[in-house]
Amino acid sequence: MATSAVLLENLTHHYPGEIHPVLAIDALEIEEGSSVALIGASGAGKSTLLRLLDGRLRGWRGQATVLTHALSPSTAPPRIWRSETGYVFQEFALIESASVKQNVLNGRLGRTHAGLSLIGRFSIADETAAEAAMRDVGITELADRRADRLSGGQRQRVAIARVLAQEPRLILADEPVSNLDPKNSEVILALLRECAAKRGATLILTSHQPRLVAPFVDRFIALDSGKVMFDGVTEDVDEAVLASIYSKASRENHNEAAE
Amino acid sequence: MTVEQSARPHSERLTRERERSWGSFSISIAIAALVIWSWMASDIDLDKLAASGGRIGDFLSRMIPPDLSVLPVVIEASAETLRIAVLGTVGCIFFSIILGLLAAGTLTPRFVNIPVTWLLATIRGIPLILVAMLMVGAVGLGPLPGILAIAFHATGMLAKFYAEAIEGIDPSPVEALESTGATFLQRMRYGVWPQIAPDIVRDTLFRFEMNLRESLILGVVGAGGIGFYIQTYVRAFQYEKVATLTIVVVIFVILIELGNNLIRRFLR
């Protein structure tokens, strides 16, 4: 039996001053090596859940185990745990004035020597990992170009290469393609899936476009007001299921859902 | 949209426009009053200015030809001014890094950054010449009080610029580095520094140019550099020496500006 990449129990989280929880998950398990889409309306708790899994959310309650490490709601996880979990940001989050290569090497910061990196020194292993990551996403020839000279699709490739350079066992991608055109979106999703599979890493991505991401994931989890309202394999997600997910959400949050 | 909803913003806009026109009227009156008071109270006699036309001409003619015998002395004194400006700038960079970090609203809590911001405003408010006189009193004559005065005075502005550069960064790439497991220092080095470096270099060069210009006058109060000779020659009515000195200072300031422009172009 496969081990679990994510195990959540009785998990709740409130934003300060809010009565309704932003997350309220009784139990959720995500198997290692699987690829999962988190869907749901805006404000359903998708991004909050990803940030929690990335160890960047504080003040939640319950049990959260990521890659067999029990996360603490009050303190940041140790450096080595963090490097095992990679995060792809919707807005790419690159250093605009730095080269592609440096942006990818930044993914090694959690693994490289903390002191030597401050004087710009990275090990052979770091260089090798960065080069492999750039090769996998097809940006080797852009290595010396500044990040602010790239197109949207190229930027997201750099962001993915940065995550791959981390050698993560879990890849979290928050709306990875919402800033890209449909053609680039499919290419980037295929790339994420392929790179995760090649490394045996688990992939969890959030999206507003279930039909777009369906070919690239095995499982769908729909959140509504922080609760799991649907959890099933991709084959079970038909139009009727999607309609129920989004109509319920739109009835309940029709103010927030308008984007 | 209903009539009721659109009517309210319209009347609000009218009120705001009326307030604004009253405001600009009052400001115009206040500025006019300030100018008139300055003129009247200064007791300026235009006839006197017209009558002294000949004297000004005589004064200028006495600057020609410049007395080049003082050239070595003046060049050495200018070099001392340059050294004061360089070391003063190094000093103010040091203090500005510390105070700039503390003054950045995005890094420190309000009970830290607000008092530091006030402190910087106070420092900016103290004229350089006053600081220099106090420093001469404290450490004696020579370039050292000049360096200390520049370092202190310039920190008021440079630390504010540094704090603004830090406040202006995009936090998301720094968060991305946090997510990779980067330590605090690594986030500063690879997330914050690349974003602020162009601003920091530009602000520092700008402040260096200001420091150079302001340090020309430091010698007047005994804090080293060319200012000593400016004062000596002018008081002794040695205008041909003042001419040499002026030429040297102008060339010297232009050269430094050209150098700075080269650095800026290289960094762009």
Side-chain angles (χ1 to χ4, degrees), chain A residues 54 56 79 97 109 117-118, chain B residues 175 179 181 186 189-190 194:
Chain A
D54 196 34
R56 285 186 288 122
R79 196 163 165 243
S97 61
L109 290 174
S117 71
L118 294 180
Chain B
E175 209 183 338
S179 169
Q186 284 178 322
R189 164 74 177 78
Y190 288 100

Side-chain angles (χ1 to χ4, degrees), chain B residues 142-178:
Chain B
L144 181 63
I147 293 165
L148 295 176
I150 288 282
F152 175 83
H153 177 74
T155 298
M157 180 195 277
L158 198 61
K160 180 172 180 258
F161 284 177
Y162 284 7
E164 282 170 1
I166 295 165
E167 286 168 359
I169 68 164
D170 176 3
S172 67
V174 186
E175 209 183 338
L177 298 191
E178 187 190 351

Side-chain angles (χ1 to χ4, degrees), chain B residues 20 27 66 188 195 202 210 227-228 237-238 251:
Chain B
R20 199 173 299 151
I27 291 169
M188 291 289 138
Q195 293 195 60
R202 193 196 57 220
M210 278 186 76
F228 172 74
F237 306 109
Q238 294 169 322
I251 292 174

